[in-house]
Structure formats: C-alpha cells, structure tokens
Amino acid sequence: MTKLRAWELTQYSRILFLDGDTILTRPLDGVFDDPAAQPTISLRHANATIDDEAPAPPNFVLASMPEANPFHAYPPTAANNDFKDPNYFNAGFFVFAPSRQMFEVYTSLMKLPGRFNPRYPEQNLLNYAHRREGNMAWRQLDTLWNIRFPSLKDYEGGVGSLHDKWWHPHMDQELAG
C-alpha cells in the first residue's frame, strides 16, 4: 500500500505512476495532454458513496487503461474482448493528481473490512474508489500509452510503454527476442 503515499506529493499537479517492470519505447510527456488525464469533477450519485467512507474531493484525476488479455488484437478494444475486464484498470500505469483529501479517502477505505478484495491490495482499493458506477470513476487513457502483456505488434504500433513480467514464460517470444 506504499504506492498510495504518492498522493501526498502535492507539490506536483499530476504524476504518471509506472511499475518497475515497465519498459519505455518513447517519451511519455504527452500523456498529460490526453483528455482522460485532465481534472474531472466528482459526481454526486445518490448511492455511489457509502456513509462510512470519507467524502470525495470536489475534483480528481485518475486515468489508466484496462489490462489487456495476454493474447489481444492491436490496438486492443473492448468490442473485440481484448481486455480482461474493461471496467478494471491495472495500477502499474496511471496518471493522477496528488491530493491530501484523496489520500484520506483511500486510508478511510483501508479501515473498512471487506470493502475491496485484498488480493492486489492497492490496485483493488483504487479500482473500488474509482469504480465506474461511483462518484470518482476512472477515465481511460489512449491505449498507445501503455499495454500490459505486450506483443511485437504493440511495440511496432508505437505503444509508449510495455508492462510485463519480462522473466515469465508467457512473454511474446517475438518481443522477447
């Protein structure tokens, strides 16, 4: 859960978080200009926030992309079923706006037993806090910024960062070579 401490870096307006098993193929500065990476107003859905959760900040930034299936088309799309779950993002690549209030939302959620699945603790907490039907739904970045389970086609297509367990046998052998 130490990843959540990044929300305390309030001297920055937005940050791109990358997992350590990500390889860059080009500069990623333009990700901050992606429409999904712009501040978004928190909504006020009647049943989207549960009474025991901290209140949502007035606005936020949380932009990522769904995790691709190991075998996917290029470019991956939800229509082609190329994502494991189009409503669940991978927390190995995301843009966010640091905010003390958002950090407090996350820490309040950690105190509530059973609120989110602890298998991938920070990723599932973030997906719960920014669920599509909630007040702070995450927004999808263009898939040209990052891909999980990359293939040679993704690389040749210009994807800016490739995220994988490079030592794992599921790797696309054309890309690994």
Side-chain angles (χ1 to χ4, degrees):
M1 292 296 214
T2 56
K3 186 181 288 189
L4 301 179
R5 290 287 185 185
W7 270 265
E8 295 179 306
L9 299 171
T10 56
Q11 67 269 36
Y12 302 103
S13 61
R14 285 175 294 161
I15 295 173
L16 170 61
F17 182 92
L18 303 166
D19 266 359
D21 54 357
T22 300
I23 294 175
L24 302 183
T25 64
R26 61 181 168 86
L28 299 178
D29 303 61
V31 73
F32 296 108
D33 298 324
D34 189 296
Q38 305 312 307
T40 303
I41 295 172
S42 297
L43 303 177
R44 302 287 181 239
H45 295 305
N47 296 318
T49 301
I50 300 170
D51 290 341
D52 58 358
E53 295 176 4
N59 56 58
F60 70 98
V61 174
L62 198 297
S64 187
M65 65 269 313
E67 185 169 301
N69 287 312
F71 302 100
H72 57 271
Y74 176 81
T77 65
N80 288 336
N81 295 312
D82 290 323
F83 301 115
K84 288 183 176 183
D85 178 349
N87 294 312
Y88 182 87
F89 67 90
N90 183 292
F93 184 100
F94 60 93
V95 176
F96 69 99
S99 158
R100 187 76 185 145
Q101 188 176 1
M102 187 62 77
F103 180 76
E104 290 170 10
V105 168
Y106 300 148
T107 56
S108 79
L109 293 174
M110 287 190 290
K111 296 174 186 174
L112 303 172
R115 193 55 48 107
F116 60 92
N117 182 335
R119 181 168 182 197
Y120 304 109
E122 81 288 345
Q123 181 166 289
N124 287 339
L125 180 142
L126 291 171
N127 269 280
Y128 174 79
H130 297 283
R131 61 198 179 277
R132 298 284 194 182
E133 68 277 8
N135 288 330
M136 302 179 295
W138 68 280
R139 298 176 69 196
Q140 186 170 332
L141 293 165
D142 189 305
T143 55
L144 277 173
W145 293 116
N146 178 266
I147 193 76
R148 173 75 170 96
F149 297 114
S151 69
L152 184 59
K153 288 182 182 178
D154 297 317
Y155 172 74
E156 291 172 344
V159 175
S161 61
L162 310 174
H163 179 195
D164 210 337
K165 309 303 180 211
W166 299 96
W167 55 91
H168 198 277
H170 74 253
M171 278 295 307
D172 179 333
Q173 294 308 303
E174 290 181 314
L175 184 61

